[in-house]
Amino acid sequence: MFTALSVLIVSGSKAQDVTEGRTIFRERCTSCHALDRDLTGPALQPIVASTDEAFLLKWINNAPALIASGDKQAIEASKWNPNAEMTAFPTLTDVQIKSILAYVKAGEPKKAGEEGGAAATEEVSNFSLAGVIAVIIVSIIVLVILARAIKMLERLILQKQGVVIVDEDKMPISAGIARLFKNKKFIFFFILCIVAVLSTFGWMGMWNTGVHTGYQPVQPIKFSHELHAGVNQIDCQYCHSGAFKSKNAAIPSLNVCMNCHKAVQGRDNHDGNISPEIQKIYNALGYDADKMTYDKSKEKPVEWVRVHNLPDFAYFNHSQHVVVAEDAIRKEKGLKPNEPVCFACHGPVDTMEEIYQYSPLTMKWCINCHKETQLEVKGNAYYDKIIEAHEKIKKGEKITPASLGGLECGKCHY
């Protein structure tokens, strides 16, 4: 039983290594690195495969300090791109860095339908299941060997005592199996194995319940974030203005789209015709591109499919994170000055042809971020008010909810 539990724990931890490593990699590393191609930094798979792990742990944790110490390997590594310094990640533990390295070695799982996709996506489950089956088989073999050893010892003791032993006739296999299932110890062990297998399946199922990382629904209009936020460098706030001043980021109205798409119609790529996706915007607004007029009787809403879903009991305020905590989040996630703070949770949106859920959005994910992120309180008006309130409390002066932000709309209106 101890061996079975050990294998389950090891298999679970190994599975968690790659899964957690993938999450951390996508949060911290994708702005500079890819697994199989050079970006700001080199492709990581060949680097990780050929570099000593002890060095990688020090390098990822604090590369600038390692270079400053005069480490020859670090100095050589820094020459790959002299114009870009490796970001330090002092908050990452050795275990988390090893998880990242495990993910880099394993590579990105292929999507369902691609060659080898099913095997890749089910690698964790198969590993755990194989471990349980192996434990059961080994345990049965050990039990059989022990039973034979006990029987031999009993025979030797009886022979020394002068007892005449009569060899039993060999019984058929079916009778042996039937006899085995009458043994209470074997039945107990057999039930224990079944419980272990069912518990493993149940644990894996419950652990992934409600986690929708990679969720990418089909949208009514194929809006490309890669084209708009990446190629055309349109700021996130231009469309999602609510993210900086309210709880919700807000889906932009089609009138925002029309600021550009009255003129930009994609005719060059469609033999002089309006792009089918842009035409969907016109149809929803009842807009006639030739006459440049609107027909309100033809208006209809675009039924966008929500990608990021939080439970009703979970309250998340975009403005509090992207305005008050922007500097702290940028530092923690290693974002570049030209990258919006939105990338910390939503990932490299400027590379997504169609948006998908980048982060797991689990309670653990949020809590870990809150534990690791170091707040930048100096010069921040929000924290200045809190410090001012604390000073008043020390002096015994009057403090009201309003002085602590109690008049903010989001305190009462969800």
Side-chain angles (χ1 to χ4, degrees), residues 235-275:
D235 189 83
C236 300
Q237 194 175 172
Y238 181 79
C239 298
H240 301 288
S241 57
F244 288 77
K245 58 185 179 183
S246 70
K247 170 184 180 288
N248 298 308
I251 297 175
S253 69
L254 294 182
N255 291 328
V256 175
C257 305
M258 290 298 287
N259 289 341
C260 295
H261 287 297
K262 263 190 177 181
V264 179
Q265 298 179 337
R267 293 179 183 271
D268 294 341
N269 298 326
H270 295 87
D271 300 325
N273 298 316
I274 297 173
S275 163

Side-chain angles (χ1 to χ4, degrees), residues 10 46 74 76 81 93 138 144 146 164 204 218 294 313 362 411:
V10 171
E76 189 64 29
N81 187 349
T93 64
V138 170
V144 171
L146 287 174
V164 178
M204 289 189 296
V218 177
Y294 292 90
F313 57 78
T362 59
K411 296 291 184 182

